[in-house]
Amino acid sequence: MALKIVKGSIDRMFDKNLQDLVRGIRNHKEDEAKYISTCIDEIKQELKQDNIAVKANAVCKLTYLQMLGYDVSWAAFNIVEVMSSSKFTYKRIGYLAASQCFHEGTDVIMLTTNQIRKDLSSPNQYDTGVALTGLSCFVTPDLARDLANDIMTLMSHTKPYIRKKAVLIMYKVFLKYPESLRPAFPRLKEKLEDPDPGVQSAAVNVICELARRNPKNYLSLAPLFFKLMTSSTNNWVLIKIIKLFGALTPLEPRLGKKLIEPLTNLIHSTSAMSLLYECVNTVIAVLISLSSGMPNHSASIQLCVQKLRILIEDSDQNLKYLGLLAMSKILKTHPKSVQSHKDLILQCLDDKDESIRLRALDLLYGMVSKKNLMEIVKKLMLHVDKAEGTTYRDELLTKIIDICSQSNYQYITNFEWYISILVELTRLEGTRHGHLIASQMLDVAIRVKAIRGFAVAQMATLLDNAHLLTGNTQRNGICEVLYAAAWICGEFSEHLEDPMQTLEAMLRPKVATLPGHIQAVYVQNAAKLFATVLRKHEGDTDSQAAQETSQLLIDRLPLFVQSANLEVQERASCILQLVKYIQKLQQKNVEVAEEVTALFAGELNPVAPKAQKKVPIPDGLDLDAWINEPPSESESEDEKPKAVFAKEEPKHSRSRHPEVDEKELARRREARKQEQANNPFYIKASPSSQKVYDAPGVEHIPVVQIDLSVPLKVPGPESEEDITPAHQVDIVTEEMPENALPSDDDDKDPNDPHKALDIDLDKPLADSEKLPVRTHRPEVLKSPAEDRDNESVPQETKKKSGKEKKEKKKDKEKDRKRSKEDKKKKKKHKEVEEELPESQPEEAVQSEETKEAAAPPTSTSAEEVTAPSSAAAVDTSSAAAPESEPDEPKDAEPEDTDFRFGNVK
Amino acid sequence: MAPERLLWISCQRTDLPAAISPIPGSVAPLFLITMIKFLLMVNKQGQTRLSKYYEQVELGKRTALEADVVRGCLARRKEECSFVEYKDYKLVYRQYAALFIVVGITENENELSIFELVHNFVEVLDKYFSRVSELDVSLSKNTHYTNKVHIILDEMILNGHIVETNKNRILAPLLALDKMTES
C-alpha cells in the first residue's frame, strides 16, 4: 500500500514534469529551440536513470518533442528499453514512441525481435494488441520474416480483438516479406468468413488491397465477395468490397453484368451517402469497362446521373463536390447523358466554393459542342468579369482557351467570334496568360486564312490602343499579346485598311518600354508595314507621301537603335540603314516599292510536324554511305546527340558528317536557334513541330542543308498545309517517333512493393515455402525442404550471432533476460519471480495490480466460455510453432480472462 | 506559400515530400492503393496537437507538410467543401470548435467515408473525454490526453485502414488501461 502511494506521487511528479515541458514550450516562444535543447539535456539525464518510470516519462516527452519535429532518434535504444517493460502502461508508452519514431532505417529495431515476439504471445491481449499496432508502423523486412509465423498464428487467436489486428498487420508483412503471402493466404481467406464482423472487415480490407494491385490472382474469390456484398450490412465493408469489384471487373466482364443489378439496388435503397457514392463510382467504372459488351446499360447510366444530380443539387458542399467529380467520370464515356444537365453545371459556376467552381469548369470542358460552345463561353466570360481572385480568373481564362481550342478548334464554327473573345480577354489586367492568348491569336490568324482580314483589323485596333494594355509595368503579362498583334499586322499587312496609322502606332516612343522581344517584333514588322505603305503610295503615285513615310522611320528608328536589347538594336540598325538607302533612291525618283516588298515576299505556311521526315531523299543519295573515312571507334563525344536523334530516325544517325567538329556544330546549332528565335513563326508554331528542328542531331545530316524557313511543300496525302479558304483549320497531329514502341509497361514500376505480391495463390504450397519458424536452438531450425534452407540457414544463424553481438552491448539485465528467453517457455513462471527482486518497486506493484484486475470477471460471453478449448485447437493446428507449445505456462489461462470486461463492454 | 499553391491539381510535383510522392518512378500505384496516409489534429493557430502517419515521412518533411496542409485547410471558409486536392492526394478535414482534424488520403479512397470516420472519431473522443469541445485546450495542457487519443486512434485506424468503428469496442482497451492505472 505504501509502495502504491509512493508510486502514485512519483507518477504525479512526472506528470507535472511533462506538463511543465508543454507549458514551458508555450512560455518560451522566442527561444523555443534553446528551451527545448535544455529539456532534451534533462531528458538525457532521466534516461540514464534505472527507474523505469522515469525513463517512460522521458520517452513520453520525447514522443511529444518528436511530434513537434525534433529528431529524437538518438533515444531509440531507450525506447526499446521502455517497450520491454513488463508493465503495460510503460510498454504502451514505449510502443507509441517506437511507432512514431522508428522507421526501416532504425538499427535498434533488430534488437526488438524477441521482445515483440514475447509480447505477441503474451497472455494479455492488450500486450499483443499494442505490439501489433506498433509493428504496423515500423515493421521491417527482417521483422516481417522473423515474425510472419507468429502473426499468422495470431490470425486464429481466440480474441477477435487480436484476430482483426493480426489480419491487418499481415498486409504489411506481405509487403515487406512477399514470401509469406502464399503460406498465409488460406488462413486469410478463412477470415473472410469469420464470425466476428470486425475480423471479417479486416480480411476484406487486406484482400481488397492485395487484389486491387494484382486482380487476376483473386478472381476466384469473386463468388465469396459477391455473397458478402449481398449479405453484409456494414457500410465500411461494403464500400471496400464494391471497390474491389471495380478492380476485378475489367478482367472478368461476366462479373460486371452480374454486379449491375445488386449495385443499382443498393443505389436505390441505401441512405448512406458514402455508400451511394461508391456504388455510383463503381457502376460507372464497370460500365466503362463493359461499354461494348452491354447493350442496354443506358438505364444504369441514367440512374447514376440522376443520383449525381441530386448530390449536386444538395446544399451540402461536400456532396456537391463529389457529385461533380463523379459526373466528370461519366462524361468521358457518356457525354450525352451529362450534357443534358448543362444548366446545373453552369449554376455551379456561381458557387461560393472555388473547388466546386473548378470542378464545374472541368466538366464544361467535356460538355461543349458546336451548338453550345458560344453560350458556354459567353457565360464564362461573365464570370471572368466577376471573378475576384486572380488565380481563379486565370484558371477561367485558360479554361476558355482550352475549351475553344480543344481537338483542333473542333467546336468553333465562327472564328471571327473567337478572335473577338481573345481580344476581349486582353482586357484582363495582371493575368499571367498573355502568351497563351498571343499564341492563340497567331495560330488562328495563320491557319485560318479566311479570318485574316478580320484578325488584322482587330490587331490594328489593339496596337492602336496598346497604351491601355501596357498600363504601368513591364511585368504586366498581357503585353505579350502585342507581340502577336504586331506580327499579324506586319505579316498580313495587305489586309490593313490604314497601314500608315498602324505603322505610326508601332513606332510610338512608348513602345520602348515594352519587353525586348516584343520591341524586336515591332521593329521587324514596322519594316513590313513600311513596304506595304510604300507600295500603296507608289500605286497612287504619291511620291511625297512615300518620302514622308521614309522620313517617319528615319526619325523614329534611332530610338530603337539605342535599345539595350541587342536584338532590337541590331534589327533597328539594319532597317534604319535600309530606309536611309531607300530614301536616297526616292530622292532620285526611283520606284522602290516593288523591291522593298520583295524582301518580305512569300507566304509563311504552317508546317506539319512530320514534314521534315517526308522530305524526299534526292536520287542517287545514299544516306548510309560514308562520305569520308569512318571516324575511329573511340570518338564518343557525339554519342549523346546521336542517341537523341536515333530515337527519331535511327537510319540517319549513322551518316554523321565526321569532319564537322564540335565547335562548328555548336556554332551552327546556335545560329539555327537564333534564326528560329527571330522568326516569330517558328516560335509560335505548335511545340511538336518545333521539336523536329530542335533535335540536336539534325545538323549531322548533310542533307539538312535545306533552308527550313522556306515553306515546305510536302507531297502526298499528308500535306495538310494548304489552307482551304473556308473557316477551317489545318489538322496537325501530334508526332510520335516512328519506331516508338507502344508503352504498355509505362505504368509498371520496378520499385512498386506490390509487384512482389503478384503471386499465384492457387498453386499448392510447397514445403520450401513454409514460413520460417523459430525453434529453441537455431541450428535445429530446419523446415523440411533443403533447397531453401541451404541458403537461408547460414544467413539466419549469422544474423542470430550478429544479434547476439549487439545484445552484448545491452546492460546486464538485458543479457539475463535474453538467456532466459531461450528457455523461457518452461520457466516463464519462474522467470517472473526471478525478475522481481531486481526490477523496480513499481513493477512489484504492477504485478499486484494485474492480480487485482484479474479478480472481477463479471459476465461471460459465449466466446469467452469456449476460449480455452479453441485455444487448444489452435495449438494443435499450429503445433509446429513453438509459441503454442503445449507446455504453455499454466498461469496464462487465468490471465487470459483478466481482460474479459474489455470485450464485454 | 499562398493558398492557391495548395489548390492545384496540376501543381508541380518537384517539391513533394518523399513519402507522399508516388513510389519512385511510378504512376499506377497511386491510383490503386487505397489508404489513409496521415491524420493531423491542429488548432486554429496551426499548431499540431497530434499527428499520426501511416506511411513513413521524414521528420524534417513532416513539419513542412503539416504547415502546408494546415494553411490550406485553415484558409478555407465554412461554406466551402471539406475536400482539398493537395498535390497527389486528397485532404479531408473537419472543424470542431478550435480544433481541425485533417486526414490525408489517397486519390481513390472514398472521401465521404473518411469524412464520416472523422466524425465517428470525434464522437468516440466525446464519449470518452465528455467535453470534446475543449479538447484543444486539454491536448495542449496535458500530454496524457495525447497518449489517450493515440490509443483511441490506434484502435480505429491500423495500417492506414479503418479497423474498428464501434464506439464500445474502440474504447474497451482504453478503459481497461484506465482500470489498471487506477487500481
Side-chain angles (χ1 to χ4, degrees):
Chain A
M1 199 57 200
L3 260 181
K4 219 188 227 171
I5 292 164
V6 169
K7 180 215 152 226
S9 62
I10 288 176
D11 254 4
R12 264 190 296 281
M13 197 177 89
F14 289 121
D15 267 1
K16 225 174 171 186
N17 276 344
L18 209 55
Q19 289 178 33
D20 282 345
L21 172 79
V22 180
R23 200 172 298 135
I25 291 173
R26 264 192 305 172
N27 295 341
H28 291 75
K29 282 226 169 74
E30 296 79 35
D31 52 347
E32 191 187 290
K34 199 179 148 203
Y35 177 77
I36 285 180
S37 74
T38 54
C39 285
I40 287 181
D41 287 341
E42 275 168 37
I43 291 172
K44 279 182 179 161
Q45 288 306 315
E46 284 167 25
L47 286 175
K48 278 181 192 148
Q49 292 184 37
D50 285 339
N51 188 325
I52 191 74
V54 179
K55 269 187 190 159
N57 270 295
V59 166
C60 200
K61 282 191 266 185
L62 284 176
T63 313
Y64 184 79
L65 290 178
Q66 201 262 358
M67 188 189 80
L68 295 181
Y70 291 89
D71 179 26
V72 298
S73 53
W74 48 269
F77 185 75
N78 303 98
I79 292 173
V80 174
E81 279 182 313
V82 176
M83 273 165 77
S84 52
S85 158
S86 57
K87 191 175 169 186
F88 179 71
T89 36
Y90 300 147
K91 186 187 288 299
R92 159 82 218 173
I93 289 171
Y95 270 102
L96 174 64
S99 65
Q100 295 285 83
C101 313
F102 286 7
H103 50 88
E104 265 192 40
T106 310
D107 46 5
V108 290
I109 285 188
M110 60 191 300
L111 301 179
T112 60
T113 316
N114 281 326
Q115 179 58 44
I116 295 174
R117 181 176 282 128
K118 197 173 135 197
D119 289 333
L120 286 181
S121 54
S122 161
N124 179 337
Q125 65 165 331
Y126 293 114
D127 280 354
T128 316
V130 94
L132 284 173
T133 312
L135 258 185
S136 78
C137 294
F138 57 77
V139 64
T140 61
D142 282 344
L143 275 182
R145 189 197 56 227
D146 296 343
L147 297 174
N149 192 56
D150 304 62
I151 301 171
M152 197 173 100
T153 316
L154 289 178
M155 281 165 72
S156 312
H157 198 272
T158 51
K159 295 279 194 332
Y161 176 76
I162 300 298
R163 286 207 301 273
K164 73 181 180 202
K165 288 199 172 206
V167 167
L168 267 178
I169 302 303
M170 265 332 256
Y171 174 61
K172 264 277 167 70
V173 173
F174 294 151
L175 285 182
K176 302 283 177 186
Y177 179 57
E179 289 87 338
S180 60
L181 178 57
R182 275 173 40 76
F185 192 70
R187 200 171 286 189
L188 181 61
K189 209 165 118 184
E190 271 170 39
K191 295 299 140 198
L192 282 177
E193 293 176 294
D194 196 277
D196 183 87
V199 181
Q200 213 179 43
S201 141
V204 168
N205 260 320
V206 172
I207 294 187
C208 283
E209 282 314 302
L210 294 170
R212 288 177 66 79
R213 202 62 195 97
N214 311 302
K216 62 178 189 307
N217 296 336
Y218 300 86
L219 267 179
S220 60
L221 290 178
L224 190 55
F225 276 113
F226 202 79
K227 205 177 103 201
L228 276 177
M229 183 173 83
T230 41
S231 61
S232 176
T233 50
N234 181 336
N235 284 344
W236 310 88
V237 174
L238 276 175
I239 288 176
K240 283 283 170 188
I241 296 176
I242 291 169
K243 262 194 199 304
L244 170 70
F245 276 126
L248 291 182
T249 37
L251 295 165
E252 182 51 274
R254 282 175 301 170
L255 192 60
K257 284 177 198 168
K258 252 189 124 180
L259 272 175
I260 292 294
E261 200 203 326
L263 283 182
T264 42
N265 286 346
L266 271 176
I267 291 177
H268 278 301
S269 62
T270 186
S271 58
M273 280 302 174
S274 51
L275 183 59
L276 171 72
Y277 178 62
E278 196 59 53
C279 289
V280 170
N281 260 334
T282 308
V283 168
I284 297 168
V286 166
L287 289 179
I288 289 173
S289 69
L290 297 176
S291 48
S292 53
M294 281 264 291
N296 57 342
H297 54 262
S298 60
S300 312
I301 282 287
Q302 224 42 54
L303 176 68
C304 289
V305 174
Q306 271 167 24
K307 285 283 174 185
L308 290 178
R309 188 179 171 106
I310 294 171
L311 290 189
I312 296 173
E313 281 170 340
D314 201 287
S315 59
D316 185 339
Q317 298 286 52
N318 294 330
L319 297 183
K320 194 172 273 197
Y321 174 84
L322 293 177
L324 289 169
L325 201 63
M327 204 64 124
S328 63
K329 287 178 192 157
I330 299 187
L331 186 70
K332 279 174 204 142
T333 49
H334 300 82
K336 285 255 161 59
S337 22
V338 182
Q339 268 163 11
S340 53
H341 299 280
K342 193 184 76 213
D343 53 318
L344 184 65
I345 312 291
L346 283 173
Q347 265 174 37
C348 290
L349 286 178
D350 296 319
D351 202 278
K352 285 163 287 189
D353 186 347
E354 191 171 297
S355 0
I356 288 177
R357 292 197 302 258
L358 290 167
R359 281 277 150 235
L361 273 180
D362 277 350
L363 269 173
L364 281 179
Y365 176 81
M367 285 171 63
V368 288
S369 64
K370 278 187 175 157
K371 273 184 204 155
N372 64 19
L373 174 79
M374 286 165 126
E375 184 198 339
I376 288 179
V377 171
K378 193 175 158 200
K379 175 108 190 187
L380 291 178
M381 290 301 286
L382 284 178
H383 281 277
V384 171
D385 289 338
K386 279 192 290 183
E388 59 244 39
T390 46
T391 326
Y392 178 60
R393 206 183 52 183
D394 281 356
E395 191 66 33
L396 269 172
L397 190 154
T398 45
K399 225 31 169 206
I400 290 175
I401 291 183
D402 280 354
I403 286 175
C404 292
S405 63
Q406 66 175 311
S407 336
N408 216 14
Y409 309 101
Q410 188 190 348
Y411 300 114
I412 295 186
T413 47
N414 181 351
F415 278 94
E416 290 193 4
W417 164 83
Y418 185 44
I419 290 281
S420 330
I421 290 288
L422 289 173
V423 171
E424 222 174 300
L425 285 175
T426 60
R427 287 187 288 111
L428 282 184
E429 256 178 55
T431 178
R432 289 180 290 120
H433 294 302
H435 60 94
L436 202 62
I437 304 176
S439 68
Q440 284 290 300
M441 286 173 167
L442 284 168
D443 202 33
V444 173
I446 293 167
R447 294 170 64 190
V448 190
K449 271 187 179 168
I451 200 70
R452 283 182 191 166
F454 181 79
V456 166
Q458 293 286 317
M459 296 303 123
T461 330
L462 260 187
L463 286 178
D464 228 13
N465 302 322
H467 57 281
L468 296 177
L469 291 181
T470 48
N472 36 16
T473 63
Q474 290 208 356
R475 277 178 55 230
N476 197 336
I478 201 69
C479 63
E480 288 288 331
V481 296
L482 293 176
Y483 179 103
W487 191 84
I488 292 171
C489 283
E491 186 62 29
F492 307 121
S493 51
E494 68 270 19
H495 298 284
L496 273 176
E497 266 183 26
D498 187 357
M500 190 60 206
Q501 190 195 349
T502 311
L503 182 60
E504 272 177 36
M506 281 167 70
L507 293 171
R508 279 183 204 141
K510 187 102 205 256
V511 172
T513 58
L514 290 172
H517 66 285
I518 298 179
Q519 285 186 52
V521 172
Y522 262 67
V523 171
Q524 183 75 12
N525 286 286
K528 292 183 194 167
L529 276 175
F530 174 61
T532 316
V533 173
L534 275 188
R535 200 173 48 181
K536 202 175 161 201
H537 288 320
E538 284 182 10
D540 302 344
T541 58
D542 187 352
S543 62
Q544 179 65 26
Q547 288 196 25
E548 272 168 24
T549 316
S550 309
Q551 193 54 45
L552 175 76
L553 258 75
I554 291 170
D555 291 344
R556 299 282 175 84
L557 279 175
L559 176 70
F560 298 101
V561 174
Q562 292 159 15
S563 169
N565 187 300
L566 278 183
E567 182 67 31
V568 179
Q569 203 185 77
E570 191 182 348
R571 284 172 189 245
S573 332
C574 280
I575 291 166
L576 184 59
Q577 293 314 312
L578 178 74
V579 176
K580 279 181 179 164
Y581 179 66
I582 290 170
Q583 200 185 31
K584 258 187 222 164
L585 291 176
Q586 280 175 330
Q587 282 158 359
K588 290 178 199 162
N589 273 331
V590 181
E591 298 248 316
V592 285
E594 205 167 310
E595 280 165 53
V596 178
T597 320
L599 286 175
F600 307 105
E603 202 174 346
L604 289 178
N605 278 333
V607 179
K610 286 179 182 163
Q612 174 67 63
K613 274 190 193 163
K614 307 220 179 238
V615 176
I617 299 170
D619 281 341
L621 175 66
D622 182 3
L623 290 174
D624 292 336
W626 288 104
I627 295 171
N628 297 299
E629 284 303 301
S632 65
E633 292 294 309
S634 62
E635 189 197 48
S636 62
E637 69 265 42
D638 286 344
E639 224 43 69
K640 208 180 158 203
K642 180 185 165 190
V644 170
F645 188 64
K647 255 191 213 161
E648 298 194 4
E649 214 146 351
K651 212 174 119 198
H652 291 190
S653 64
R654 268 183 286 156
S655 64
R656 289 175 302 146
H657 203 303
E659 284 193 343
V660 180
D661 67 343
E662 200 61 28
K663 257 190 197 163
E664 171 66 8
L665 281 180
R667 196 193 60 74
R668 275 200 217 167
R669 201 172 299 145
E670 268 318 300
R672 183 176 301 277
K673 272 192 188 147
Q674 194 70 18
E675 184 191 317
Q676 286 168 4
N678 295 350
N679 189 331
F681 173 71
Y682 280 116
I683 289 174
K684 293 300 169 188
S686 79
S688 58
S689 69
Q690 206 180 344
K691 191 172 91 194
V692 174
Y693 310 115
D694 267 351
V698 171
E699 291 83 0
H700 298 284
I701 314 164
V703 219
V704 168
Q705 302 307 340
I706 301 163
D707 185 355
L708 288 176
S709 60
V710 170
L712 279 170
K713 283 280 177 196
V714 179
E718 261 93 352
S719 62
E720 291 123 1
E721 289 73 64
D722 289 320
I723 302 166
T724 45
H727 283 196
Q728 266 179 13
V729 188
D730 301 324
I731 294 146
V732 181
T733 44
E734 280 283 303
E735 180 210 17
M736 275 291 274
E738 259 163 20
N739 54 345
L741 293 167
S743 47
D744 289 341
D745 294 339
D746 281 357
D747 57 346
K748 295 224 171 118
D749 166 38
N751 297 325
D752 176 13
H754 291 81
K755 206 175 155 195
L757 291 182
D758 192 0
I759 295 167
D760 183 6
L761 295 163
D762 298 331
K763 261 196 316 196
L765 198 62
D767 283 341
S768 58
E769 286 180 297
K770 294 241 167 79
L771 288 176
V773 168
R774 185 171 158 274
T775 53
H776 291 289
R777 286 166 296 277
E779 59 274 19
V780 201
L781 179 105
K782 281 277 167 272
S783 45
E786 277 68 25
D787 51 352
R788 186 171 180 274
D789 284 354
N790 284 346
E791 40 181 72
S792 73
V793 165
Q795 237 182 357
E796 209 134 319
T797 40
K798 218 167 113 196
K799 204 150 246 152
K800 286 250 151 119
S801 63
K803 242 178 244 167
E804 268 163 350
K805 246 186 240 163
K806 280 258 170 171
E807 291 197 10
K808 265 179 198 159
K809 284 184 206 155
K810 287 192 182 183
D811 54 7
K812 226 171 145 193
E813 187 189 354
K814 287 274 155 184
D815 263 325
R816 289 189 63 166
K817 222 183 235 170
R818 184 186 145 63
S819 65
K820 260 173 256 150
E821 246 161 48
D822 281 341
K823 38 184 173 168
K824 79 171 179 209
K825 292 303 162 197
K826 274 184 191 166
K827 301 204 172 176
K828 194 171 181 187
H829 195 64
K830 231 177 164 185
E831 183 188 336
V832 174
E833 282 176 354
E834 271 175 22
E835 235 176 31
L836 277 179
E838 64 180 74
S839 61
Q840 304 311 316
E842 304 87 78
E843 284 185 48
V845 178
Q846 148 73 8
S847 70
E848 227 158 87
E849 273 170 24
T850 42
K851 265 176 215 157
E852 273 172 287
T858 43
S859 67
T860 49
S861 66
E863 200 185 346
E864 302 313 322
V865 174
T866 58
S869 65
S870 68
V874 172
D875 286 349
T876 50
S877 72
S878 54
E883 285 73 18
S884 44
E885 273 173 329
D887 55 351
E888 194 83 283
K890 286 286 171 272
D891 56 355
E893 276 169 28
E895 264 187 43
D896 204 22
T897 52
D898 287 355
F899 296 96
R900 185 176 299 163
F901 56 85
N903 265 19
V904 171
K905 265 194 188 164
Chain B
M1 213 173 289
E4 49 257 44
R5 251 312 287 292
L6 274 178
L7 284 169
W8 293 131
I9 323 166
S10 52
C11 219
Q12 318 73 4
R13 290 176 158 201
T14 45
D15 53 349
L16 269 190
I20 54 169
S21 69
I23 305 144
S26 71
V27 194
L30 259 184
F31 295 95
L32 290 161
I33 298 170
T34 314
M35 69 176 285
I36 299 166
K37 297 249 177 176
F38 60 80
L39 185 143
L40 301 176
M41 290 170 89
V42 287
N43 66 4
K44 268 192 164 166
Q45 287 76 47
Q47 290 161 314
T48 311
R49 290 285 176 236
L50 182 133
S51 64
K52 186 89 191 169
Y53 289 83
Y54 297 98
E55 195 178 62
Q56 197 57 49
V57 178
E58 264 177 54
L59 196 57
K61 287 176 178 161
R62 287 187 186 189
T63 30
L65 171 81
E66 281 163 25
D68 217 14
V69 162
V70 168
R71 213 168 298 139
C73 293
L74 291 182
R76 292 175 70 81
R77 288 169 295 178
K78 277 241 167 69
E79 66 265 26
E80 295 184 310
C81 72
S82 307
F83 312 125
V84 186
E85 289 174 37
Y86 175 68
K87 295 185 176 167
D88 283 5
Y89 55 103
K90 287 183 184 157
L91 307 175
V92 176
Y93 71 90
R94 274 187 113 139
Q95 187 184 357
Y96 294 91
L99 195 70
F100 275 86
I101 299 180
V102 189
V103 189
I105 55 174
T106 51
E107 184 73 20
N108 60 352
E109 182 67 271
N110 186 315
E111 295 92 338
L112 272 182
S113 73
I114 300 298
F115 192 65
E116 282 159 29
L117 175 82
V118 172
H119 191 68
N120 191 354
F121 174 52
V122 172
E123 276 179 4
V124 174
L125 293 180
D126 192 42
K127 186 168 177 178
Y128 182 76
F129 294 112
S130 70
R131 283 155 82 191
V132 78
S133 55
E134 291 166 28
L135 195 63
D136 173 45
V137 187
S138 318
L139 280 174
S140 68
K141 274 192 185 151
N142 192 333
T143 41
H144 271 226
Y145 273 85
T146 323
N147 279 344
K148 284 180 177 168
V149 176
H150 264 298
I151 296 178
I152 292 175
L153 202 54
D154 283 348
E155 291 305 316
M156 293 184 72
I157 307 174
L158 192 64
N159 246 357
H161 292 106
I162 302 167
V163 58
E164 187 60 79
T165 47
N166 178 306
K167 284 176 204 130
N168 292 328
R169 282 203 289 261
I170 291 167
L171 288 177
L174 189 54
L175 295 174
L177 180 68
D178 285 347
K179 274 216 172 131
M180 265 165 64
T181 39
E182 268 167 37
S183 52

